[in-house]
Amino acid sequence: MPGPRRNSILQLPLKLIFTEDGINFFIKNEKKLNRFRMADSAEAYGISLEAVTPASIQRMLLIDYISRIELSRVEFISKRQEIIDLSKLIAYSVLYHKYDWEIFQHLIQSNLIIRWNRINPGNIIDERTRINDTYLEGILKKNRKSIHEIRGEILKPVLDEVNRNTRLLAEEKNIQLLLSEKFLDHLRPIIWFILLKYQGSKDYFELLNFIRSELRSFMEKSKIAEYLSLMILELLSSAENTNLQNYAKKVYKGSRHVENVLYDSTVRSTILKELEKQGERLTLSFKLRGIGSSIGTGHRLQVTIYNKESEYSALKESVNDKKNLEIWEKSLIEFYQDLPDTEANTELGMYYLSYLSEACKKVNIRFESNVNQILSSELTVITLALSF
């Protein structure tokens, strides 16, 4: 996760939900798994943690052990930096894997691999090939100097462009330089092995140019991680304040200064404790699809915010049977337009939404957002979906 400021440990109550590969790994290593009921009423296996290192989460994401991350709290603002770090970490993990997948897809369709497969019919390389990464890593370690030279050939033009960019501050340049290294760090060993084997050939330089071109593209896409984390924080802040205001209106009936009451830290703390007792929690959920898929389908990140820890899907299914339940679905921009200014800083939310949407268009990332509201239960479910 690039950037000079990040927490070495995320102090957040996380539920990590595992993929089939993740479950098999933990069972094989005799680790106990818990069965959780998630905010959408789905049941899944995983573990719960009160604190975790970002590196350990990223490792599990990149080897396809995690399919979902969920956390529930009454308030999130005191954990602002942790939420930003977690959101960016997950978005970067998707981008790292997508970059690696794009390079591998190009590689297996290249003249290099077509020729390799023709010469080595017993050891063809394609999407279904089970590659012994440990064996390849041993070869790469013995050829560290050559690998270092290849990395330098890929990076030098990109780094020169970053250093010449007068629009970037020194800190921003450092982040870009670190980011370029990170993307290369997450390329699978077979890519480096092929580059090493055919170093200096015509096809080698063609592959090098493609890796470099995609690196530039994904460095641009990486800006989405920052915008997304700010959008998530704004949505959580808005939902948190709405919950506080709704509770204050019930308790301080008739008061003309309900909003001002929330700025009193003592009163705010009291209300938060009451909401905790009543189970009125916000839930932030990250769902990942395709991040570790060998066939590359997906690479989709879905972020969902539930403003109550209710069983959303069960409530939604019951709509057909109960006419007095009213469920609405609208776009996020419509949702913001309908919010009164006294309940949330809608201007800031609209700004972040517009910025994120436009930024995704520029880098060819499909972005969708919608809001489901079940009026009788005051449940609001906000979904942001990004297809990389």
Side-chain angles (χ1 to χ4, degrees), residues 16-20 23 44-45 60-61 64-69 285-289 291 300-302:
L16 305 182
I17 302 306
F18 297 129
T19 61
E20 186 176 343
I23 291 172
Y45 287 95
M60 287 191 282
L61 285 169
D64 194 29
Y65 279 6
I66 297 177
S67 64
R68 183 168 178 172
I69 297 175
S285 172
F286 297 89
K287 281 186 183 178
L288 301 110
R289 190 181 73 193
I291 189 168
R300 177 182 169 90
L301 172 61
Q302 180 176 303

mmCIF file with all atom_site columns, all heavy atoms in Angstrom, residues 16-20 23 44-45 60-61 64-69 285-289 291 300-302:
data_model
loop_
_atom_site.group_PDB
_atom_site.id
_atom_site.type_symbol
_atom_site.label_atom_id
_atom_site.label_alt_id
_atom_site.label_comp_id
_atom_site.label_asym_id
_atom_site.label_entity_id
_atom_site.label_seq_id
_atom_site.pdbx_PDB_ins_code
_atom_site.Cartn_x
_atom_site.Cartn_y
_atom_site.Cartn_z
_atom_site.occupancy
_atom_site.B_iso_or_equiv
_atom_site.pdbx_formal_charge
_atom_site.auth_seq_id
_atom_site.auth_comp_id
_atom_site.auth_asym_id
_atom_site.auth_atom_id
_atom_site.pdbx_PDB_model_num
ATOM 1   N N   . LEU A 1 16  ? -12.925 -11.618 8.331   1.00 0.00 ? 16  LEU A N   1
ATOM 2   C CA  . LEU A 1 16  ? -12.323 -12.018 7.067   1.00 0.00 ? 16  LEU A CA  1
ATOM 3   C C   . LEU A 1 16  ? -13.002 -13.298 6.607   1.00 0.00 ? 16  LEU A C   1
ATOM 4   O O   . LEU A 1 16  ? -12.922 -14.323 7.285   1.00 0.00 ? 16  LEU A O   1
ATOM 5   C CB  . LEU A 1 16  ? -10.818 -12.253 7.228   1.00 0.00 ? 16  LEU A CB  1
ATOM 6   C CG  . LEU A 1 16  ? -9.987  -11.105 7.808   1.00 0.00 ? 16  LEU A CG  1
ATOM 7   C CD1 . LEU A 1 16  ? -8.509  -11.497 7.840   1.00 0.00 ? 16  LEU A CD1 1
ATOM 8   C CD2 . LEU A 1 16  ? -10.180 -9.822  7.028   1.00 0.00 ? 16  LEU A CD2 1
ATOM 9   N N   . ILE A 1 17  ? -13.676 -13.232 5.478   1.00 0.00 ? 17  ILE A N   1
ATOM 10  C CA  . ILE A 1 17  ? -14.407 -14.386 4.946   1.00 0.00 ? 17  ILE A CA  1
ATOM 11  C C   . ILE A 1 17  ? -13.566 -15.021 3.841   1.00 0.00 ? 17  ILE A C   1
ATOM 12  O O   . ILE A 1 17  ? -13.074 -14.335 2.946   1.00 0.00 ? 17  ILE A O   1
ATOM 13  C CB  . ILE A 1 17  ? -15.778 -13.948 4.395   1.00 0.00 ? 17  ILE A CB  1
ATOM 14  C CG1 . ILE A 1 17  ? -16.581 -13.268 5.509   1.00 0.00 ? 17  ILE A CG1 1
ATOM 15  C CG2 . ILE A 1 17  ? -16.532 -15.154 3.833   1.00 0.00 ? 17  ILE A CG2 1
ATOM 16  C CD1 . ILE A 1 17  ? -16.736 -14.078 6.785   1.00 0.00 ? 17  ILE A CD1 1
ATOM 17  N N   . PHE A 1 18  ? -13.417 -16.333 3.916   1.00 0.00 ? 18  PHE A N   1
ATOM 18  C CA  . PHE A 1 18  ? -12.480 -17.016 3.035   1.00 0.00 ? 18  PHE A CA  1
ATOM 19  C C   . PHE A 1 18  ? -13.132 -17.638 1.807   1.00 0.00 ? 18  PHE A C   1
ATOM 20  O O   . PHE A 1 18  ? -14.298 -18.035 1.828   1.00 0.00 ? 18  PHE A O   1
ATOM 21  C CB  . PHE A 1 18  ? -11.723 -18.092 3.808   1.00 0.00 ? 18  PHE A CB  1
ATOM 22  C CG  . PHE A 1 18  ? -10.864 -17.540 4.916   1.00 0.00 ? 18  PHE A CG  1
ATOM 23  C CD1 . PHE A 1 18  ? -10.944 -18.041 6.199   1.00 0.00 ? 18  PHE A CD1 1
ATOM 24  C CD2 . PHE A 1 18  ? -9.984  -16.498 4.667   1.00 0.00 ? 18  PHE A CD2 1
ATOM 25  C CE1 . PHE A 1 18  ? -10.168 -17.526 7.218   1.00 0.00 ? 18  PHE A CE1 1
ATOM 26  C CE2 . PHE A 1 18  ? -9.201  -15.977 5.681   1.00 0.00 ? 18  PHE A CE2 1
ATOM 27  C CZ  . PHE A 1 18  ? -9.279  -16.485 6.958   1.00 0.00 ? 18  PHE A CZ  1
ATOM 28  N N   . THR A 1 19  ? -12.329 -17.725 0.765   1.00 0.00 ? 19  THR A N   1
ATOM 29  C CA  . THR A 1 19  ? -12.705 -18.478 -0.435  1.00 0.00 ? 19  THR A CA  1
ATOM 30  C C   . THR A 1 19  ? -12.519 -19.963 -0.124  1.00 0.00 ? 19  THR A C   1
ATOM 31  O O   . THR A 1 19  ? -12.042 -20.344 0.946   1.00 0.00 ? 19  THR A O   1
ATOM 32  C CB  . THR A 1 19  ? -11.788 -18.103 -1.613  1.00 0.00 ? 19  THR A CB  1
ATOM 33  O OG1 . THR A 1 19  ? -10.432 -18.440 -1.254  1.00 0.00 ? 19  THR A OG1 1
ATOM 34  C CG2 . THR A 1 19  ? -11.868 -16.623 -1.927  1.00 0.00 ? 19  THR A CG2 1
ATOM 35  N N   . GLU A 1 20  ? -12.855 -20.795 -1.083  1.00 0.00 ? 20  GLU A N   1
ATOM 36  C CA  . GLU A 1 20  ? -12.666 -22.239 -0.896  1.00 0.00 ? 20  GLU A CA  1
ATOM 37  C C   . GLU A 1 20  ? -11.194 -22.571 -0.658  1.00 0.00 ? 20  GLU A C   1
ATOM 38  O O   . GLU A 1 20  ? -10.863 -23.402 0.198   1.00 0.00 ? 20  GLU A O   1
ATOM 39  C CB  . GLU A 1 20  ? -13.183 -22.990 -2.122  1.00 0.00 ? 20  GLU A CB  1
ATOM 40  C CG  . GLU A 1 20  ? -13.170 -24.499 -1.957  1.00 0.00 ? 20  GLU A CG  1
ATOM 41  C CD  . GLU A 1 20  ? -13.785 -25.220 -3.138  1.00 0.00 ? 20  GLU A CD  1
ATOM 42  O OE1 . GLU A 1 20  ? -14.506 -24.575 -3.924  1.00 0.00 ? 20  GLU A OE1 1
ATOM 43  O OE2 . GLU A 1 20  ? -13.530 -26.437 -3.278  1.00 0.00 ? 20  GLU A OE2 1
ATOM 44  N N   . ILE A 1 23  ? -10.341 -21.558 2.924   1.00 0.00 ? 23  ILE A N   1
ATOM 45  C CA  . ILE A 1 23  ? -10.902 -22.506 3.887   1.00 0.00 ? 23  ILE A CA  1
ATOM 46  C C   . ILE A 1 23  ? -10.060 -23.777 3.924   1.00 0.00 ? 23  ILE A C   1
ATOM 47  O O   . ILE A 1 23  ? -9.713  -24.279 5.012   1.00 0.00 ? 23  ILE A O   1
ATOM 48  C CB  . ILE A 1 23  ? -12.366 -22.834 3.526   1.00 0.00 ? 23  ILE A CB  1
ATOM 49  C CG1 . ILE A 1 23  ? -13.259 -21.606 3.757   1.00 0.00 ? 23  ILE A CG1 1
ATOM 50  C CG2 . ILE A 1 23  ? -12.873 -24.023 4.348   1.00 0.00 ? 23  ILE A CG2 1
ATOM 51  C CD1 . ILE A 1 23  ? -14.676 -21.765 3.243   1.00 0.00 ? 23  ILE A CD1 1
ATOM 52  N N   . ALA A 1 44  ? -21.203 -17.517 6.165   1.00 0.00 ? 44  ALA A N   1
ATOM 53  C CA  . ALA A 1 44  ? -19.898 -17.755 5.558   1.00 0.00 ? 44  ALA A CA  1
ATOM 54  C C   . ALA A 1 44  ? -18.878 -18.101 6.637   1.00 0.00 ? 44  ALA A C   1
ATOM 55  O O   . ALA A 1 44  ? -19.072 -17.803 7.820   1.00 0.00 ? 44  ALA A O   1
ATOM 56  C CB  . ALA A 1 44  ? -19.455 -16.518 4.786   1.00 0.00 ? 44  ALA A CB  1
ATOM 57  N N   . TYR A 1 45  ? -17.776 -18.737 6.197   1.00 0.00 ? 45  TYR A N   1
ATOM 58  C CA  . TYR A 1 45  ? -16.724 -19.148 7.123   1.00 0.00 ? 45  TYR A CA  1
ATOM 59  C C   . TYR A 1 45  ? -15.528 -18.208 7.041   1.00 0.00 ? 45  TYR A C   1
ATOM 60  O O   . TYR A 1 45  ? -15.124 -17.776 5.960   1.00 0.00 ? 45  TYR A O   1
ATOM 61  C CB  . TYR A 1 45  ? -16.269 -20.575 6.798   1.00 0.00 ? 45  TYR A CB  1
ATOM 62  C CG  . TYR A 1 45  ? -17.273 -21.624 7.199   1.00 0.00 ? 45  TYR A CG  1
ATOM 63  C CD1 . TYR A 1 45  ? -18.202 -22.108 6.278   1.00 0.00 ? 45  TYR A CD1 1
ATOM 64  C CD2 . TYR A 1 45  ? -17.306 -22.121 8.507   1.00 0.00 ? 45  TYR A CD2 1
ATOM 65  C CE1 . TYR A 1 45  ? -19.132 -23.076 6.637   1.00 0.00 ? 45  TYR A CE1 1
ATOM 66  C CE2 . TYR A 1 45  ? -18.239 -23.088 8.876   1.00 0.00 ? 45  TYR A CE2 1
ATOM 67  C CZ  . TYR A 1 45  ? -19.148 -23.556 7.944   1.00 0.00 ? 45  TYR A CZ  1
ATOM 68  O OH  . TYR A 1 45  ? -20.071 -24.497 8.310   1.00 0.00 ? 45  TYR A OH  1
ATOM 69  N N   . MET A 1 60  ? -3.068  -12.426 1.751   1.00 0.00 ? 60  MET A N   1
ATOM 70  C CA  . MET A 1 60  ? -4.214  -13.341 1.623   1.00 0.00 ? 60  MET A CA  1
ATOM 71  C C   . MET A 1 60  ? -5.108  -12.964 0.447   1.00 0.00 ? 60  MET A C   1
ATOM 72  O O   . MET A 1 60  ? -5.669  -13.827 -0.227  1.00 0.00 ? 60  MET A O   1
ATOM 73  C CB  . MET A 1 60  ? -5.010  -13.380 2.934   1.00 0.00 ? 60  MET A CB  1
ATOM 74  C CG  . MET A 1 60  ? -4.311  -14.131 4.046   1.00 0.00 ? 60  MET A CG  1
ATOM 75  S SD  . MET A 1 60  ? -5.372  -14.437 5.488   1.00 0.00 ? 60  MET A SD  1
ATOM 76  C CE  . MET A 1 60  ? -5.331  -12.818 6.272   1.00 0.00 ? 60  MET A CE  1
ATOM 77  N N   . LEU A 1 61  ? -5.243  -11.662 0.185   1.00 0.00 ? 61  LEU A N   1
ATOM 78  C CA  . LEU A 1 61  ? -6.040  -11.220 -0.955  1.00 0.00 ? 61  LEU A CA  1
ATOM 79  C C   . LEU A 1 61  ? -5.413  -11.663 -2.273  1.00 0.00 ? 61  LEU A C   1
ATOM 80  O O   . LEU A 1 61  ? -6.094  -12.160 -3.171  1.00 0.00 ? 61  LEU A O   1
ATOM 81  C CB  . LEU A 1 61  ? -6.181  -9.698  -0.945  1.00 0.00 ? 61  LEU A CB  1
ATOM 82  C CG  . LEU A 1 61  ? -7.142  -9.081  0.086   1.00 0.00 ? 61  LEU A CG  1
ATOM 83  C CD1 . LEU A 1 61  ? -6.951  -7.577  0.141   1.00 0.00 ? 61  LEU A CD1 1
ATOM 84  C CD2 . LEU A 1 61  ? -8.584  -9.427  -0.249  1.00 0.00 ? 61  LEU A CD2 1
ATOM 85  N N   . ASP A 1 64  ? -5.787  -15.246 -3.230  1.00 0.00 ? 64  ASP A N   1
ATOM 86  C CA  . ASP A 1 64  ? -7.187  -15.665 -3.349  1.00 0.00 ? 64  ASP A CA  1
ATOM 87  C C   . ASP A 1 64  ? -7.689  -16.438 -2.136  1.00 0.00 ? 64  ASP A C   1
ATOM 88  O O   . ASP A 1 64  ? -8.404  -17.426 -2.269  1.00 0.00 ? 64  ASP A O   1
ATOM 89  C CB  . ASP A 1 64  ? -7.380  -16.510 -4.614  1.00 0.00 ? 64  ASP A CB  1
ATOM 90  C CG  . ASP A 1 64  ? -8.856  -16.688 -4.959  1.00 0.00 ? 64  ASP A CG  1
ATOM 91  O OD1 . ASP A 1 64  ? -9.643  -15.786 -4.620  1.00 0.00 ? 64  ASP A OD1 1
ATOM 92  O OD2 . ASP A 1 64  ? -9.218  -17.711 -5.546  1.00 0.00 ? 64  ASP A OD2 1
ATOM 93  N N   . TYR A 1 65  ? -7.343  -15.979 -0.945  1.00 0.00 ? 65  TYR A N   1
ATOM 94  C CA  . TYR A 1 65  ? -7.849  -16.610 0.280   1.00 0.00 ? 65  TYR A CA  1
ATOM 95  C C   . TYR A 1 65  ? -9.035  -15.848 0.859   1.00 0.00 ? 65  TYR A C   1
ATOM 96  O O   . TYR A 1 65  ? -9.788  -16.397 1.655   1.00 0.00 ? 65  TYR A O   1
ATOM 97  C CB  . TYR A 1 65  ? -6.745  -16.693 1.337   1.00 0.00 ? 65  TYR A CB  1
ATOM 98  C CG  . TYR A 1 65  ? -5.796  -17.862 1.157   1.00 0.00 ? 65  TYR A CG  1
ATOM 99  C CD1 . TYR A 1 65  ? -5.874  -18.696 0.039   1.00 0.00 ? 65  TYR A CD1 1
ATOM 100 C CD2 . TYR A 1 65  ? -4.809  -18.133 2.098   1.00 0.00 ? 65  TYR A CD2 1
ATOM 101 C CE1 . TYR A 1 65  ? -5.013  -19.754 -0.135  1.00 0.00 ? 65  TYR A CE1 1
ATOM 102 C CE2 . TYR A 1 65  ? -3.931  -19.208 1.929   1.00 0.00 ? 65  TYR A CE2 1
ATOM 103 C CZ  . TYR A 1 65  ? -4.040  -20.000 0.813   1.00 0.00 ? 65  TYR A CZ  1
ATOM 104 O OH  . TYR A 1 65  ? -3.178  -21.058 0.651   1.00 0.00 ? 65  TYR A OH  1
ATOM 105 N N   . ILE A 1 66  ? -9.213  -14.587 0.474   1.00 0.00 ? 66  ILE A N   1
ATOM 106 C CA  . ILE A 1 66  ? -10.275 -13.754 1.051   1.00 0.00 ? 66  ILE A CA  1
ATOM 107 C C   . ILE A 1 66  ? -11.278 -13.366 -0.028  1.00 0.00 ? 66  ILE A C   1
ATOM 108 O O   . ILE A 1 66  ? -10.901 -12.886 -1.096  1.00 0.00 ? 66  ILE A O   1
ATOM 109 C CB  . ILE A 1 66  ? -9.708  -12.484 1.702   1.00 0.00 ? 66  ILE A CB  1
ATOM 110 C CG1 . ILE A 1 66  ? -8.802  -12.849 2.881   1.00 0.00 ? 66  ILE A CG1 1
ATOM 111 C CG2 . ILE A 1 66  ? -10.836 -11.561 2.173   1.00 0.00 ? 66  ILE A CG2 1
ATOM 112 C CD1 . ILE A 1 66  ? -8.131  -11.648 3.532   1.00 0.00 ? 66  ILE A CD1 1
ATOM 113 N N   . SER A 1 67  ? -12.559 -13.577 0.258   1.00 0.00 ? 67  SER A N   1
ATOM 114 C CA  . SER A 1 67  ? -13.608 -13.174 -0.683  1.00 0.00 ? 67  SER A CA  1
ATOM 115 C C   . SER A 1 67  ? -14.392 -11.965 -0.174  1.00 0.00 ? 67  SER A C   1
ATOM 116 O O   . SER A 1 67  ? -15.072 -11.291 -0.950  1.00 0.00 ? 67  SER A O   1
ATOM 117 C CB  . SER A 1 67  ? -14.581 -14.330 -0.914  1.00 0.00 ? 67  SER A CB  1
ATOM 118 O OG  . SER A 1 67  ? -15.263 -14.653 0.283   1.00 0.00 ? 67  SER A OG  1
ATOM 119 N N   . ARG A 1 68  ? -14.270 -11.710 1.125   1.00 0.00 ? 68  ARG A N   1
ATOM 120 C CA  . ARG A 1 68  ? -15.078 -10.631 1.696   1.00 0.00 ? 68  ARG A CA  1
ATOM 121 C C   . ARG A 1 68  ? -14.458 -10.148 3.000   1.00 0.00 ? 68  ARG A C   1
ATOM 122 O O   . ARG A 1 68  ? -13.903 -10.943 3.766   1.00 0.00 ? 68  ARG A O   1
ATOM 123 C CB  . ARG A 1 68  ? -16.504 -11.130 1.946   1.00 0.00 ? 68  ARG A CB  1
ATOM 124 C CG  . ARG A 1 68  ? -17.477 -10.083 2.468   1.00 0.00 ? 68  ARG A CG  1
ATOM 125 C CD  . ARG A 1 68  ? -18.878 -10.636 2.382   1.00 0.00 ? 68  ARG A CD  1
ATOM 126 N NE  . ARG A 1 68  ? -19.867 -9.707  2.907   1.00 0.00 ? 68  ARG A NE  1
ATOM 127 C CZ  . ARG A 1 68  ? -21.176 -9.878  2.823   1.00 0.00 ? 68  ARG A CZ  1
ATOM 128 N NH1 . ARG A 1 68  ? -21.659 -10.953 2.217   1.00 0.00 ? 68  ARG A NH1 1
ATOM 129 N NH2 . ARG A 1 68  ? -22.017 -8.998  3.307   1.00 0.00 ? 68  ARG A NH2 1
ATOM 130 N N   . ILE A 1 69  ? -14.542 -8.857  3.233   1.00 0.00 ? 69  ILE A N   1
ATOM 131 C CA  . ILE A 1 69  ? -14.094 -8.265  4.495   1.00 0.00 ? 69  ILE A CA  1
ATOM 132 C C   . ILE A 1 69  ? -15.224 -7.389  5.014   1.00 0.00 ? 69  ILE A C   1
ATOM 133 O O   . ILE A 1 69  ? -15.775 -6.581  4.265   1.00 0.00 ? 69  ILE A O   1
ATOM 134 C CB  . ILE A 1 69  ? -12.818 -7.427  4.301   1.00 0.00 ? 69  ILE A CB  1
ATOM 135 C CG1 . ILE A 1 69  ? -11.665 -8.323  3.829   1.00 0.00 ? 69  ILE A CG1 1
ATOM 136 C CG2 . ILE A 1 69  ? -12.440 -6.710  5.587   1.00 0.00 ? 69  ILE A CG2 1
ATOM 137 C CD1 . ILE A 1 69  ? -10.397 -7.568  3.486   1.00 0.00 ? 69  ILE A CD1 1
ATOM 138 N N   . SER A 1 285 ? -18.823 -3.323  4.141   1.00 0.00 ? 285 SER A N   1
ATOM 139 C CA  . SER A 1 285 ? -18.509 -4.624  3.557   1.00 0.00 ? 285 SER A CA  1
ATOM 140 C C   . SER A 1 285 ? -17.782 -4.462  2.233   1.00 0.00 ? 285 SER A C   1
ATOM 141 O O   . SER A 1 285 ? -18.171 -3.647  1.391   1.00 0.00 ? 285 SER A O   1
ATOM 142 C CB  . SER A 1 285 ? -19.804 -5.419  3.338   1.00 0.00 ? 285 SER A CB  1
ATOM 143 O OG  . SER A 1 285 ? -19.558 -6.599  2.605   1.00 0.00 ? 285 SER A OG  1
ATOM 144 N N   . PHE A 1 286 ? -16.700 -5.232  2.055   1.00 0.00 ? 286 PHE A N   1
ATOM 145 C CA  . PHE A 1 286 ? -15.970 -5.292  0.793   1.00 0.00 ? 286 PHE A CA  1
ATOM 146 C C   . PHE A 1 286 ? -16.107 -6.704  0.236   1.00 0.00 ? 286 PHE A C   1
ATOM 147 O O   . PHE A 1 286 ? -15.733 -7.670  0.902   1.00 0.00 ? 286 PHE A O   1
ATOM 148 C CB  . PHE A 1 286 ? -14.480 -5.003  0.993   1.00 0.00 ? 286 PHE A CB  1
ATOM 149 C CG  . PHE A 1 286 ? -14.170 -3.633  1.518   1.00 0.00 ? 286 PHE A CG  1
ATOM 150 C CD1 . PHE A 1 286 ? -14.110 -3.392  2.883   1.00 0.00 ? 286 PHE A CD1 1
ATOM 151 C CD2 . PHE A 1 286 ? -13.915 -2.579  0.648   1.00 0.00 ? 286 PHE A CD2 1
ATOM 152 C CE1 . PHE A 1 286 ? -13.803 -2.134  3.381   1.00 0.00 ? 286 PHE A CE1 1
ATOM 153 C CE2 . PHE A 1 286 ? -13.605 -1.315  1.130   1.00 0.00 ? 286 PHE A CE2 1
ATOM 154 C CZ  . PHE A 1 286 ? -13.557 -1.086  2.505   1.00 0.00 ? 286 PHE A CZ  1
ATOM 155 N N   . LYS A 1 287 ? -16.640 -6.821  -0.970  1.00 0.00 ? 287 LYS A N   1
ATOM 156 C CA  . LYS A 1 287 ? -16.726 -8.117  -1.646  1.00 0.00 ? 287 LYS A CA  1
ATOM 157 C C   . LYS A 1 287 ? -15.806 -8.097  -2.857  1.00 0.00 ? 287 LYS A C   1
ATOM 158 O O   . LYS A 1 287 ? -15.806 -7.135  -3.630  1.00 0.00 ? 287 LYS A O   1
ATOM 159 C CB  . LYS A 1 287 ? -18.157 -8.399  -2.129  1.00 0.00 ? 287 LYS A CB  1
ATOM 160 C CG  . LYS A 1 287 ? -19.108 -8.878  -1.062  1.00 0.00 ? 287 LYS A CG  1
ATOM 161 C CD  . LYS A 1 287 ? -20.438 -9.257  -1.714  1.00 0.00 ? 287 LYS A CD  1
ATOM 162 C CE  . LYS A 1 287 ? -21.465 -9.686  -0.681  1.00 0.00 ? 287 LYS A CE  1
ATOM 163 N NZ  . LYS A 1 287 ? -22.763 -10.011 -1.330  1.00 0.00 ? 287 LYS A NZ  1
ATOM 164 N N   . LEU A 1 288 ? -15.050 -9.178  -3.002  1.00 0.00 ? 288 LEU A N   1
ATOM 165 C CA  . LEU A 1 288 ? -14.116 -9.262  -4.121  1.00 0.00 ? 288 LEU A CA  1
ATOM 166 C C   . LEU A 1 288 ? -14.476 -10.427 -5.009  1.00 0.00 ? 288 LEU A C   1
ATOM 167 O O   . LEU A 1 288 ? -14.828 -11.503 -4.518  1.00 0.00 ? 288 LEU A O   1
ATOM 168 C CB  . LEU A 1 288 ? -12.686 -9.438  -3.600  1.00 0.00 ? 288 LEU A CB  1
ATOM 169 C CG  . LEU A 1 288 ? -12.220 -8.292  -2.691  1.00 0.00 ? 288 LEU A CG  1
ATOM 170 C CD1 . LEU A 1 288 ? -12.100 -8.789  -1.270  1.00 0.00 ? 288 LEU A CD1 1
ATOM 171 C CD2 . LEU A 1 288 ? -10.917 -7.719  -3.184  1.00 0.00 ? 288 LEU A CD2 1
ATOM 172 N N   . ARG A 1 289 ? -14.362 -10.212 -6.312  1.00 0.00 ? 289 ARG A N   1
ATOM 173 C CA  . ARG A 1 289 ? -14.632 -11.286 -7.259  1.00 0.00 ? 289 ARG A CA  1
ATOM 174 C C   . ARG A 1 289 ? -13.585 -11.267 -8.354  1.00 0.00 ? 289 ARG A C   1
ATOM 175 O O   . ARG A 1 289 ? -13.330 -10.237 -8.950  1.00 0.00 ? 289 ARG A O   1
ATOM 176 C CB  . ARG A 1 289 ? -16.006 -11.118 -7.908  1.00 0.00 ? 289 ARG A CB  1
ATOM 177 C CG  . ARG A 1 289 ? -16.435 -12.341 -8.719  1.00 0.00 ? 289 ARG A CG  1
ATOM 178 C CD  . ARG A 1 289 ? -17.790 -12.132 -9.357  1.00 0.00 ? 289 ARG A CD  1
ATOM 179 N NE  . ARG A 1 289 ? -17.708 -11.200 -10.476 1.00 0.00 ? 289 ARG A NE  1
ATOM 180 C CZ  . ARG A 1 289 ? -18.768 -10.644 -11.058 1.00 0.00 ? 289 ARG A CZ  1
ATOM 181 N NH1 . ARG A 1 289 ? -19.964 -10.881 -10.593 1.00 0.00 ? 289 ARG A NH1 1
ATOM 182 N NH2 . ARG A 1 289 ? -18.621 -9.819  -12.083 1.00 0.00 ? 289 ARG A NH2 1
ATOM 183 N N   . ILE A 1 291 ? -10.332 -11.732 -8.024  1.00 0.00 ? 291 ILE A N   1
ATOM 184 C CA  . ILE A 1 291 ? -8.994  -11.260 -7.691  1.00 0.00 ? 291 ILE A CA  1
ATOM 185 C C   . ILE A 1 291 ? -7.951  -12.352 -7.818  1.00 0.00 ? 291 ILE A C   1
ATOM 186 O O   . ILE A 1 291 ? -6.825  -12.125 -8.215  1.00 0.00 ? 291 ILE A O   1
ATOM 187 C CB  . ILE A 1 291 ? -8.953  -10.636 -6.284  1.00 0.00 ? 291 ILE A CB  1
ATOM 188 C CG1 . ILE A 1 291 ? -7.604  -9.959  -6.043  1.00 0.00 ? 291 ILE A CG1 1
ATOM 189 C CG2 . ILE A 1 291 ? -9.205  -11.660 -5.206  1.00 0.00 ? 291 ILE A CG2 1
ATOM 190 C CD1 . ILE A 1 291 ? -7.566  -9.100  -4.826  1.00 0.00 ? 291 ILE A CD1 1
ATOM 191 N N   . ARG A 1 300 ? -13.696 -7.467  -9.828  1.00 0.00 ? 300 ARG A N   1
ATOM 192 C CA  . ARG A 1 300 ? -14.754 -6.546  -9.424  1.00 0.00 ? 300 ARG A CA  1
ATOM 193 C C   . ARG A 1 300 ? -14.697 -6.351  -7.920  1.00 0.00 ? 300 ARG A C   1
ATOM 194 O O   . ARG A 1 300 ? -14.550 -7.310  -7.157  1.00 0.00 ? 300 ARG A O   1
ATOM 195 C CB  . ARG A 1 300 ? -16.110 -7.127  -9.827  1.00 0.00 ? 300 ARG A CB  1
ATOM 196 C CG  . ARG A 1 300 ? -17.325 -6.301  -9.391  1.00 0.00 ? 300 ARG A CG  1
ATOM 197 C CD  . ARG A 1 300 ? -18.588 -7.020  -9.827  1.00 0.00 ? 300 ARG A CD  1
ATOM 198 N NE  . ARG A 1 300 ? -19.785 -6.467  -9.247  1.00 0.00 ? 300 ARG A NE  1
ATOM 199 C CZ  . ARG A 1 300 ? -20.516 -5.491  -9.787  1.00 0.00 ? 300 ARG A CZ  1
ATOM 200 N NH1 . ARG A 1 300 ? -20.142 -4.968  -10.939 1.00 0.00 ? 300 ARG A NH1 1
ATOM 201 N NH2 . ARG A 1 300 ? -21.623 -5.055  -9.203  1.00 0.00 ? 300 ARG A NH2 1
ATOM 202 N N   . LEU A 1 301 ? -14.794 -5.114  -7.505  1.00 0.00 ? 301 LEU A N   1
ATOM 203 C CA  . LEU A 1 301 ? -14.827 -4.775  -6.087  1.00 0.00 ? 301 LEU A CA  1
ATOM 204 C C   . LEU A 1 301 ? -16.161 -4.127  -5.768  1.00 0.00 ? 301 LEU A C   1
ATOM 205 O O   . LEU A 1 301 ? -16.536 -3.147  -6.410  1.00 0.00 ? 301 LEU A O   1
ATOM 206 C CB  . LEU A 1 301 ? -13.679 -3.815  -5.748  1.00 0.00 ? 301 LEU A CB  1
ATOM 207 C CG  . LEU A 1 301 ? -13.683 -3.210  -4.344  1.00 0.00 ? 301 LEU A CG  1
ATOM 208 C CD1 . LEU A 1 301 ? -13.592 -4.299  -3.272  1.00 0.00 ? 301 LEU A CD1 1
ATOM 209 C CD2 . LEU A 1 301 ? -12.529 -2.218  -4.193  1.00 0.00 ? 301 LEU A CD2 1
ATOM 210 N N   . GLN A 1 302 ? -16.869 -4.710  -4.805  1.00 0.00 ? 302 GLN A N   1
ATOM 211 C CA  . GLN A 1 302 ? -18.155 -4.158  -4.401  1.00 0.00 ? 302 GLN A CA  1
ATOM 212 C C   . GLN A 1 302 ? -18.067 -3.704  -2.951  1.00 0.00 ? 302 GLN A C   1
ATOM 213 O O   . GLN A 1 302 ? -17.718 -4.479  -2.066  1.00 0.00 ? 302 GLN A O   1
ATOM 214 C CB  . GLN A 1 302 ? -19.259 -5.204  -4.544  1.00 0.00 ? 302 GLN A CB  1
ATOM 215 C CG  . GLN A 1 302 ? -20.638 -4.686  -4.122  1.00 0.00 ? 302 GLN A CG  1
ATOM 216 C CD  . GLN A 1 302 ? -21.725 -5.703  -4.367  1.00 0.00 ? 302 GLN A CD  1
ATOM 217 O OE1 . GLN A 1 302 ? -21.921 -6.161  -5.496  1.00 0.00 ? 302 GLN A OE1 1
ATOM 218 N NE2 . GLN A 1 302 ? -22.443 -6.079  -3.313  1.00 0.00 ? 302 GLN A NE2 1
#
